[in-house]
Amino acid sequence: MAADPLNEAAAEVLLRYPRPLWSVAALPLGNRGGFSGARLWRIDGAAAALCLRAWPAGFPPQRLHFIHHCMTRARAAGLTFTPRLFSTAGGATWTEHVGRLWELQEWLPGEADYHRRPAPAKLWAACAALARLHACWQSMSPANGPCPALIRR
């Protein structure tokens, strides 16, 4: 069976980030059942675990820029359940390689298991976190138009 070319690309992308962030090869995880179509790799870095993400081919850079803006704003507001983004050696929070956009972020432990083990406290915590995000982002200028998710589908 042929090697996955994205695994080689992931190794090349890591070279764009400061070496102290990572010290071992990236472990391919596929897309882990996500809806975005992104591919993921886990890297056990020197100081912490990291997640390398390759967005699907054709993902719009302006959309990723907006996502990173929202994530950065949430982290600055102290919302540590939002992963921290790491910058390339050139200072950008994402890079383009082999027709995909790539990002490196903090690996946040946990498991989405509400359907297997529902609990009122979990639901309450999820709603509270969502409310904190909305409060953090409420002053951002909204764009007028259809929901981006509907346009993508």
Side-chain angles (χ1 to χ4, degrees):
M1 189 161 107
D4 184 344
L6 276 184
N7 290 335
E8 184 177 324
E12 294 166 358
V13 166
L14 275 178
L15 295 174
R16 298 180 182 188
Y17 289 88
R19 182 73 174 177
L21 289 175
W22 58 276
S23 57
V24 296
L27 173 66
L29 301 174
N31 84 342
R32 289 303 230 205
F35 297 114
S36 71
R39 296 274 302 275
L40 305 172
W41 290 261
R42 181 182 168 124
I43 299 108
D44 290 319
L50 306 172
C51 178
L52 180 66
R53 178 190 318 260
W55 289 89
F59 193 85
Q62 65 275 16
R63 180 76 181 137
L64 188 55
H65 178 76
F66 177 72
I67 290 169
H68 283 197
H69 175 70
C70 292
M71 290 174 71
T72 301
R73 188 175 184 119
R75 284 297 291 205
L79 304 182
T80 57
F81 57 81
T82 304
R84 179 178 35 172
L85 293 164
F86 294 99
S87 297
T88 64
T93 57
W94 58 272
T95 187
E96 190 170 356
H97 186 58
V98 298
R100 291 177 180 249
L101 305 178
W102 300 73
E103 67 188 13
L104 184 65
Q105 59 184 252
E106 175 183 28
W107 181 276
L108 295 180
E111 182 180 354
D113 67 350
Y114 186 81
H115 291 292
R116 282 195 327 265
R117 296 191 316 233
K122 287 182 185 179
L123 183 59
W124 187 92
C127 290
L130 184 59
R132 291 177 67 197
L133 281 170
H134 280 256
C136 171
W137 295 335
Q138 74 182 355
S139 65
M140 294 172 61
S141 300
N144 294 322
C147 171
L150 289 176
I151 294 170
R152 286 192 307 272
R153 284 166 178 74

